[in-house]
Amino acid sequence: MSIVITGSSGFIGRHLQWRLRELAQNGVTCLTHDSSDADVVAALSQARFVFHLAGANRPEDPAEFTRTNAGFTSRVCDVLAAAGHRAVVVFASSTQAALDNPYGRSKLAAEERLRAHGEATGSPVALLRLTNVFGKWARPFYNSAVATFCHQVANGLPLTIHDPTSPLRLVYVDDVIDAFMALLRSPPLGVVQLQVGPEYASSVGEVAATLQGFAQSRTSLISPPVGTGLTRALYATYLSHLPPHQFAYALPRHGDARGEFVEMLKTPDCGQFSYFTAHPGVTRGGHYHHTKSEKFLVLQGTARFGFRQLDTGATAEIITRGGEAKVVETIPGWTHDITNIGDDDLIVMLWANEIFDRARPDTVAMKVVP
């Protein structure tokens, strides 16, 4: 298939190019603001599918809205009509097309021209009204407020927020590209107007606070739930704005004669991760929990886990070595310890199902062997 992307060097266009490369989609022609009219005619004349992303967002001259958003769209339609291929057109419009401002009016004019083109030629046309698209590679102070906040937080700059309660409706760029790919697989019938989802409802203050929380998590070690929804997308966007010297950060290390203990990550509702070392012959632990549970994974060395049931006195022992990929789980009501019975330092990864609370530690000292 011959695919043309207008505005290919823009924020959304760059993501679209990478997705098409991942799908090994050949025959993709990219048009930018530097492309000549001859380039435009040559590409569109052969096109079977057009992602029309070119547009003016923040021009110095408001007349550029009309020239680019409406005028260039009209040129695209003229070339496609002359070619007679009935190419599918997917247009990145805006929810502002419903508003009476220069940008909105220009987007609405572009929609109307594409709608007329589709009806006159029988070409499938999808008009996607996008709102506040954000994600990696977005330009701060240009593409979105999210990009601006990410840049400021990542670089330790103050945020300027006039009204934290101001509502924000956001769409993640990966979801936009997913919608594009769905249309590439199954083009529309006729002219359709679509909105891309999921659309996240938030506010300026909530987004700013979330991004600031990401930065603070490197000190508190408490990570918010970044695996789903808006927080997942904001976290990826925030990380993409970090300069390379911030790709790594140091953790507090607590050492004594037994070895070292390092907390890596804490979560509000899924516990925490850490690791510890133990020199040969050293025993760590020697305590029990009423409710807390832990999972241990020996990464290096040989460990003997000892257990004793508080009420019955029953005992158990488990020996595991680095490389066995065996998890040893502590059981509430059993006191337990871990001893390095090898010749090398023991390195053990540890997950606990709750963050350690000094006020309620649920950790009571008691030796396994009285």
Side-chain angles (χ1 to χ4, degrees):
M1 183 184 296
S2 177
I3 299 173
V4 173
I5 307 172
T6 72
S8 61
S9 62
F11 166 46
I12 298 176
R14 291 156 65 200
H15 283 83
L16 176 57
Q17 287 188 66
W18 277 105
R19 183 67 67 86
L20 292 173
R21 289 190 190 111
E22 292 163 10
L23 297 175
Q25 181 66 60
N26 298 315
V28 178
T29 302
C30 296
L31 299 176
T32 71
H33 63 278
D34 293 324
S35 299
S36 66
D37 187 63
D39 293 335
V40 171
V41 172
L44 293 176
S45 296
Q46 301 300 318
R48 294 297 184 274
F49 205 106
V50 179
F51 290 102
H52 182 28
L53 313 180
N57 296 324
R58 298 175 183 271
E60 294 183 5
D61 181 3
E64 186 64 26
F65 284 131
T66 300
R67 283 194 296 269
T68 300
N69 296 341
F72 183 64
T73 298
S74 184
R75 179 61 174 151
V76 168
C77 291
D78 289 342
V79 175
L80 291 176
H85 296 312
R86 293 186 180 179
V88 180
V89 181
V90 174
F91 176 52
S93 188
S94 168
T95 53
Q96 291 200 44
L99 303 179
D100 187 18
N101 59 49
Y103 177 65
R105 289 193 294 270
S106 69
K107 282 293 190 181
L108 180 60
E111 286 184 2
E112 291 173 342
R113 181 66 180 87
L114 283 164
R115 190 181 295 276
H117 167 76
E119 292 171 350
T121 65
S123 300
V125 175
L127 309 173
L128 274 61
R129 287 193 170 182
L130 307 176
T131 178
N132 292 315
V133 182
F134 72 100
K136 65 182 182 296
W137 307 338
R139 289 168 52 189
F141 308 104
Y142 182 79
N143 286 126
S144 73
V146 173
T148 301
F149 289 164
C150 284
H151 169 78
Q152 292 170 324
V153 173
N155 290 279
L157 303 174
L159 274 64
T160 302
I161 300 176
H162 300 292
D163 180 7
T165 65
S166 180
L168 269 181
R169 302 195 71 83
L170 302 167
V171 174
Y172 187 44
V173 67
D174 283 8
D175 294 323
V176 174
I177 303 303
D178 285 345
F180 286 174
M181 294 303 97
L183 289 167
L184 185 62
R185 292 189 301 268
S186 180
L189 299 175
V191 180
V192 297
Q193 182 174 305
L194 306 171
Q195 282 190 263
V196 174
E199 188 174 294
Y200 300 106
S202 188
S203 70
V204 171
E206 289 173 351
V207 169
T210 298
L211 297 175
Q212 290 170 323
F214 296 152
Q216 294 162 2
S217 69
R218 287 189 167 188
T219 301
S220 69
L221 304 185
I222 300 177
S223 173
V226 295
T228 59
L230 176 60
T231 309
R232 169 181 176 269
L234 287 174
Y235 189 55
T237 306
Y238 166 74
L239 290 178
S240 73
H241 282 79
L242 290 176
H245 72 271
Q246 289 194 45
F247 287 2
Y249 60 100
L251 298 170
R253 302 166 67 178
H254 309 281
D256 57 26
R258 299 172 301 169
E260 188 173 78
F261 177 74
V262 178
E263 293 178 306
M264 175 188 172
L265 176 69
K266 304 176 183 180
T267 68
D269 56 357
C270 293
Q272 67 177 65
F273 290 89
S274 56
Y275 77 87
F276 65 83
T277 66
H279 302 311
V282 165
T283 297
R284 303 195 69 138
H287 55 243
Y288 65 85
H289 314 296
H290 290 292
T291 305
K292 181 189 297 186
S293 63
E294 301 160 317
K295 296 179 186 288
F296 294 86
L297 177 63
V298 174
L299 303 178
Q300 174 185 293
T302 304
R304 182 183 65 222
F305 290 84
F307 297 88
R308 178 165 58 87
Q309 213 271 6
L310 300 182
D311 201 41
T312 67
T315 61
E317 182 179 281
I318 298 173
I319 295 177
T320 183
R321 298 168 179 81
E324 290 183 350
K326 179 187 292 185
V327 170
V328 178
E329 193 155 18
T330 63
I331 310 301
W334 289 70
T335 189
H336 52 272
D337 61 21
I338 177 172
T339 302
N340 182 352
I341 60 174
D343 297 325
D344 301 319
D345 276 356
L346 185 66
I347 302 176
V348 182
M349 186 168 70
L350 164 65
W351 171 80
N353 70 321
E354 60 187 53
I355 295 177
F356 182 75
D357 183 352
R358 294 187 181 277
R360 296 189 62 189
D362 190 11
T363 302
V364 184
M366 177 176 284
K367 293 182 177 180
V368 173
V369 179

